Amino acid sequence: MQVETPTILIVDDEKSSRKILNDLLKEKGKIVLAKNGTQALELAAAQRPTLILMDILMPDMNGFQVLEKLKQSDDTKHIAVMFITALGSHNDETKGLRLGACDYVHKPFHAEIVQARVGTHLELAKQRRMLEELANLDALTSIPNRRQLEKKLDIEWANSVRTGEPLAIAMVDVDFFKLYNDEYGHASGDNVLRRIANILEAQLKRPRDLVYRYGGEEFCIILPDTESTGAQHILETCCKSVESLNIEHRESTVSPVVTISIGACICAPKAGESVEKALQQADQQLYQSKRQGRNQVHIKTLPEIESVS
């Protein structure tokens, strides 16, 4: 799991405060500076910082107002915000915490306190990111799970609607997997799924091409900006790569080793059309692959997808 360098956005209308905080925190991550609330909102949206340190008293809009706007946007509402304040009122601190601030640091700055509190919240943010990533990964195979697939499909479907580029969606099933489990045991079956997930992932060379654990012995492959010929090549390579693992399967009537069947549809989505229909079409092509002998790929190109009723 890749660990990213944290970004800290410091927002204060006083240049001296920005400099002090920059010097105190520059070893903890990338520092971005803003001198007012408007700049803070622009930079928060563009940079998606890990943590924001923000003064409460600023001329154009105060820190409370900026925090409220941050919380109104899906892109910035999860960013941790610490207030910088010279105010001593408990009411002000209470207000900030109720609006969603995670902590306060007080002026004049005490170097060790600032560093310790910022360090704590950066670590908490790192742990939150790790938990979010784990929640999107399949526990057995460590590839993205069905929850993440649904998000990716929505994104790529919208991209295809906007650009007019084709989208390939493929369903993958391990041939006679129940018989494999019965013969070799579930622990061996789990190992097969892990190995298949790894080798399928290795066949997908472009960053947006991804394989997901759909459930049981089924996987789903998403190939954005891919027409029929390209999809056929990639998916046939996936089939051959699994067969080349040479995992013994005495109970298979297709091959003496573990194989997969794949069904896919190539679609050019338009506004108002349903991604669920495309998944159903891919599933129907998977059924065709199974019915016609397994260990093969069947693809259907769909010029149109039925609109959502």
Side-chain angles (χ1 to χ4, degrees):
M1 196 174 294
Q2 187 176 2
V3 179
E4 296 181 356
T5 302
T7 298
I8 304 169
L9 172 59
I10 297 170
V11 188
D12 199 311
D13 59 314
E14 294 181 4
K15 184 176 180 180
S16 59
S17 293
R18 296 197 300 272
K19 184 178 186 313
I20 291 170
L21 290 171
N22 180 70
D23 292 343
L24 286 175
L25 302 174
K26 62 186 178 183
E27 301 300 322
K28 293 188 178 292
K30 174 187 173 183
I31 304 296
V32 179
L33 302 175
K35 60 183 179 182
N36 57 50
T38 300
Q39 282 187 2
L41 291 171
E42 291 172 355
L43 288 169
Q47 300 276 341
R48 307 288 175 83
T50 313
L51 178 67
I52 299 175
L53 272 76
M54 180 163 54
D55 193 15
I56 293 177
L57 299 178
M58 295 186 291
D60 63 333
M61 72 177 83
N62 64 43
F64 296 141
Q65 293 169 321
V66 176
L67 179 55
E68 287 179 320
K69 289 185 178 295
L70 289 170
K71 294 298 181 185
Q72 289 168 7
S73 168
D74 288 338
D75 293 335
T76 57
K77 66 183 181 182
H78 298 298
I79 300 172
V81 176
M82 293 179 65
F83 275 132
I84 304 163
T85 183
L87 304 175
S89 168
H90 293 299
N91 290 336
D92 286 318
E93 289 200 21
T94 301
K95 179 178 180 180
L97 295 171
R98 284 178 175 167
L99 287 173
C102 65
D103 207 345
Y104 271 78
V105 290
H106 292 270
K107 295 179 181 180
F109 300 120
H110 189 293
E112 292 181 355
I113 291 176
V114 172
Q115 290 173 333
R117 290 190 173 183
V118 167
T120 295
H121 289 290
L122 290 177
E123 181 61 28
L124 287 171
K126 175 184 172 183
Q127 292 175 9
R128 280 195 300 272
R129 282 198 307 274
M130 291 175 67
L131 287 171
E132 287 169 1
E133 287 182 28
L134 289 172
N136 289 322
L137 293 179
D138 174 60
L140 176 65
T141 61
S142 297
I143 64 172
N145 59 20
R146 188 164 176 172
R147 172 187 174 186
Q148 189 67 4
L149 167 65
E150 291 170 356
K151 294 179 182 177
K152 174 72 169 179
L153 275 173
D154 286 342
I155 291 168
E156 294 299 351
W157 191 265
N159 283 341
S160 288
V161 169
R162 187 181 69 253
T163 64
E165 295 293 336
L167 175 64
I169 302 173
M171 298 300 298
V172 181
D173 188 76
V174 184
D175 295 327
F176 299 111
F177 187 68
K178 183 181 184 303
L179 294 177
Y180 184 93
N181 274 338
D182 292 344
E183 176 70 14
Y184 298 94
H186 287 278
S188 294
D190 287 349
N191 187 50
V192 165
L193 293 176
R194 280 190 286 265
R195 292 182 68 183
I196 289 175
N198 288 338
I199 202 161
L200 290 177
E201 204 169 34
Q203 309 315 306
L204 307 179
K205 307 302 183 184
R206 300 179 304 174
R208 289 167 61 200
D209 294 347
L210 291 171
V211 58
Y212 301 80
R213 175 92 182 277
Y214 194 73
E217 67 271 29
E218 283 193 312
F219 300 87
C220 184
I221 295 173
I222 306 299
L223 304 171
D225 301 349
T226 305
E227 39 63 54
S228 182
T229 303
Q232 188 83 34
H233 173 73
I234 294 168
L235 297 176
E236 285 183 353
T237 301
C238 287
C239 265
K240 291 173 183 176
S241 71
V242 170
E243 192 171 17
S244 72
L245 291 172
N246 289 316
I247 303 169
E248 183 186 67
H249 191 348
R250 291 188 295 266
E251 297 301 307
S252 173
T253 59
V254 177
S255 169
V257 297
V258 170
T259 58
I260 59 173
S261 298
I262 301 178
C265 76
I266 315 295
C267 47
K270 293 181 176 59
E273 295 174 342
S274 168
V275 68
E276 285 76 19
K277 299 290 183 181
L279 282 169
Q280 290 172 12
Q281 289 289 343
D283 217 32
Q284 288 176 18
Q285 295 309 302
L286 174 59
Y287 176 76
Q288 289 296 324
S289 292
K290 291 181 178 181
R291 192 176 69 172
Q292 296 186 26
R294 303 178 190 253
N295 191 25
Q296 58 187 274
V297 178
H298 270 260
I299 297 177
K300 184 173 183 179
T301 299
L302 303 174
E304 293 182 0
I305 301 290
E306 185 179 338
S307 296
V308 180
S309 55

